[in-house]
Structures are given as C-alpha cells and as structure tokens.
Amino acid sequence: MSSIPPTARGLEGVIALESRLCRIDGERGELVYCGYDIRDLARNTTFEETAYLLWHGELPNRGALEDLQGRLAAGRALEPQVIELLESAPSSADPMSVLRTAVSALALVDPERDDASPAANLRKAIRLTARTPGIVAAFDRIRRGRAPVAPRSDLSTAADFLYRLTGRVPGEAAERIFDACLVLHAEHGLNASTFAARVIGATLADMYAAISGAIGALAGPLHGGANIEVMAMLEDIRSSGQDPAGWVRARLARKERIMGFGHRVYRTLDPRAAILRDLLVHLGEERGDRTWLDLSTRIRDTVEAEKGLQPNVDFYSASVYAMLDIPRDLFTPIFAVSRMTGWTAHLLEQWSDNRLIRPREAYVGPSDRTVPPLDDRR
Ligand code: CMC
C-alpha cells in the first residue's frame, strides 16, 4: 500500500500563511487586531477607526480618520442597477443570498474593476465597506414594501445603517452599542470565510469575486449563520414556554449542536462573547427587559455543565441585535457588513505578496482500473 501523508482534517492546527492583521490566543481567550486588544478597541475606537487600522496597520490620526469617514460617507449611495436588483429579488429571499448577489453585482458597476493596483484595491475595499450596509438595509425595506432610505453623510456607519433600516436616527446608546458590535466582528484571522476570500484572491480574481465567496462561506450555520440559529433557539424556548435546561439537554441527547457554543480556536471564553454579554446587560438595564439575558444565562450554564463548552461571538450578539429591533434574518448580513473590513484587509495583504493557495489531497480512491465497454458495466 502506498504511504499516505498525514492529513489535517478541516486544516485544524495548520499554519497556512503569515499575517499582520490579527492574533488569537485560544488558550488565554485573547483577540488582538494589529497589536491592539479587542477590549481596548471595542471601548476606545469606532468602527471607522478599526477599519483604518486593518487596512493600514496603524490607527488613524484625526485627519486620516476624517478623510476615511468622508470616503465611506461618499461611497454609501447605491447605484440604480443595484437598487433594481434588490427590487427584483422575491420578498421571501434570504437576505444573505441577496447580499451575496448584490455584492457580486457591484463588480458590474465599478469603473475600476480591472485596475488591480494597491491604491485601486484599497478604494474597492472602502467602496465595498461603504455600500454593504445600504444593501442590507435597502433590501429589508423593499421586501416590506417600503422605499429605501437615502444615506446621510453626517452619520457614522453604525448610525447610518440603523437609520436606513428604520427611517429613524438611532439614539446615542444604540449607535454606540451597534458600533461596538461592528468593531468586535471586523476581523478574526483565518476563519472559513476569510480563508475562502484569500484562496479566491490568490488566483488574482478580483475583490468582488473573493468577497462574494467569503459571504457564501459566512452564511453557513457553523460559521456566521450561527447567530440566526441562536435567535431561533431563544425564540423557540421562549414561545414554547419550555424549561431552557431541559431544552438544551434534550437537544444534546439527540447529539445535536447548540448554536453559539464551541469554537475551533478558543479553548476558553471567546473574548468577544464576554464584551457582548456586557452590552446585553447594559441594554437590558436601559430597557428594563432581561428576557434574553436571563434565558441566555440559563442556556449557557446548562451547556457549560453538560458539555464544558463556552459561548462564542454569535451567542450574545443575537440577543443584542434583537434588542436593537433588528430582524433576525439580518444578523448574519450584519456580520458581513463588519467583516468586510477584515476580508478586504486580508485580500490587500494577500496581494502584497501573492502566492497561489493550492494544497494537496491524499488520494484514497481505487487504483489501476481499466475502462470496461459500456455494455459490460453494472
Ligand atoms: N454543541 C454541542 N456540541 C458541540 C458544539 C456545540 N455547539 N461544538 C462542539 N461540540 C462538541 C462536538 O460534538 C464534539 O464532541 P465529541 O468529541 O463528543 O464528538 C466536540 O465538541 C468537538 O467538536 P468539533 O466539531 O470537533 O469542533 P470543531 O472545531 O470542528 O467545531 C464549531 C467548531 C464552531 C464548528 C462547533 O463548535 C460548532 O458547531 N458550534 C456551533 C456553531 C457555531 O456556534 N458556530 C459559530 C462559530 S464562532 C463564530 C463564527 O465563526 O462565525
């Protein structure tokens, strides 16, 4: 028998490339973007500052930040063709599929699509980050029979998104909490969607192709799609009046997963989950409503006791978004709104020193066969 080289199922533990963007210590529960701890960034920077950090490796000074804010605001308006595409989607369409399709369509209306210079690619990263929130908000309004809301250049990315979703400028607290959520989801190393983006980008396909692939990967319930499943679980337990501990135990007994728990890298609490829980506590106090917090705590305690698993980023973000009155099926698209910065930063890094990503597989199928005549085949 020929020797088969060892394989790493799911590429677990494989170091595929070097990156300056993010360090994750799964044992200690640390997440660091470009040298800055995520707790520091969530508390002391805005989404725009974090985006700049990921694209440039340094935090912006005031002038650079104002410049980026201006570029993002100027890039928010959607082309008529993109609005038409959103209008042509069935109102029952999955918003993640609509987002993937619309982002792919942005390639058709980008005059710079064929310019692969680093400066043009940075402009595409900004354009994608500017347009994506509007796509998510506009589709939500269109499917409800409402007109899309035009962007406001005086609002932050977080406030403009909530404004274009609801038609109302959010209060300061809602804006700050949503902005922190965007910071927390912006980057996370070589996760499945970022890896997908880098694999596509490494073929020298354009940014829109790579980002469309990344959105496809993020949609899966084992990745970003988990936040929608978490909310479905919370709503199911609440509406059925079941005991949360019993619900969890029954599911585990059927060998089913509890969404929002476990992680490929973290062996302890995901630091983003700790921050999101604090935000949920804050929102609960502010609104005088502890429903999701109390339910989440019962679920967490049971999963921890039964399986020794800790919540990941998707567990508490679901409740935070629900308390911000965001529809459940927009939770994963919002993840994409934020991760757009991390994906595009990885692509810029990939193209700064490109090498085709092409691993090998260990062939384990049959050998030495000859083709039999058609009539002799079973
Ligand atoms: N519920 C129940 N059991 C679990 C879970 C879970 N959520 N996660 C892992 N396990 C168990 C799994 O069954 C296995 O047990 P056993 O050894 O008895 O068979 C053990 O833990 C190891 O699991 P694994 O599948 O080998 O771990 P993995 O590294 O492949 O999985 C994961 C990582 C995130 C896919 C998994 O934890 C999971 O499916 N979680 C639920 C989905 C989820 O919340 N995804 C979001 C991930 S974080 C944010 C993001 O990437 O978007």
Side-chain angles (χ1 to χ4, degrees), residues 12 185 188 191-193 218 220-227 229-230 251-252 255-267 270 272 303 307 309-310 312-315 335 339:
E12 187 163 355
H185 287 82
H188 207 243
N191 56 85
S193 56
L218 186 72
L222 295 188
H223 192 6
N227 56 15
E229 303 292 331
V230 168
R251 198 171 165 107
L252 290 175
K255 302 268 178 245
E256 290 172 8
R257 289 182 180 228
I258 311 297
M259 291 295 150
F261 287 86
H263 200 275
R264 176 60 68 80
V265 182
Y266 293 115
R267 292 293 156 250
D270 180 335
R272 300 167 299 177
V303 177
K307 291 290 287 187
L309 290 169
Q310 300 268 2
N312 58 48
V313 68
D314 292 315
F315 187 59
F335 195 152
R339 187 57 59 83

Side-chain angles (χ1 to χ4, degrees), residues 179-195:
D179 187 72
C181 292
L182 294 180
V183 170
L184 292 173
H185 287 82
E187 162 58 10
H188 207 243
L190 218 49
N191 56 85
S193 56
T194 302
F195 188 54

